[in-house]
Amino acid sequence: MKSVKYVALDMDGVLKIGDNPVPGADETVKELQSRGYKLMIVTNECRWTPDQLSEKLQLIGLPICSALPIYTAGM
């Protein structure tokens, strides 16, 4: 995977399921970052802004994930 530099993560089913964090999501993101990968979150969600989604991730206990750039379908 040396040629991979960027990773796009989906939000629903990868980082969270409903209002619950996927176990290990924050730790996995932290590990990928420590290995030098550039990460972003992509979602087909269009009802909320990236800032609102980031706040939601923070509130459900995913502070590391909430700091990632978020790109929505509405963008």
Side-chain angles (χ1 to χ4, degrees):
M1 288 198 25
K2 289 183 180 186
S3 63
V4 175
K5 295 181 178 139
Y6 301 92
V7 176
L9 302 167
D10 188 18
M11 186 175 295
D12 295 313
V14 176
L15 302 177
K16 69 177 192 68
I17 298 173
D19 289 332
N20 299 303
V22 169
D26 249 11
E27 293 81 4
T28 300
V29 165
K30 187 176 181 180
E31 178 65 24
L32 288 169
Q33 288 174 325
S34 75
R35 293 179 184 212
Y37 294 101
K38 305 292 184 200
L39 306 174
M40 70 176 76
I41 297 171
V42 294
T43 180
N44 62 355
E45 183 59 68
C46 59
R47 293 176 285 177
W48 295 286
T49 68
D51 288 340
Q52 290 169 319
L53 293 170
S54 177
E55 183 178 327
K56 183 173 188 162
L57 290 172
Q58 180 76 28
L59 289 172
I60 66 169
L62 296 172
I64 294 172
C65 294
S66 72
L68 297 174
I70 299 174
Y71 298 92
T72 68
M75 296 173 81

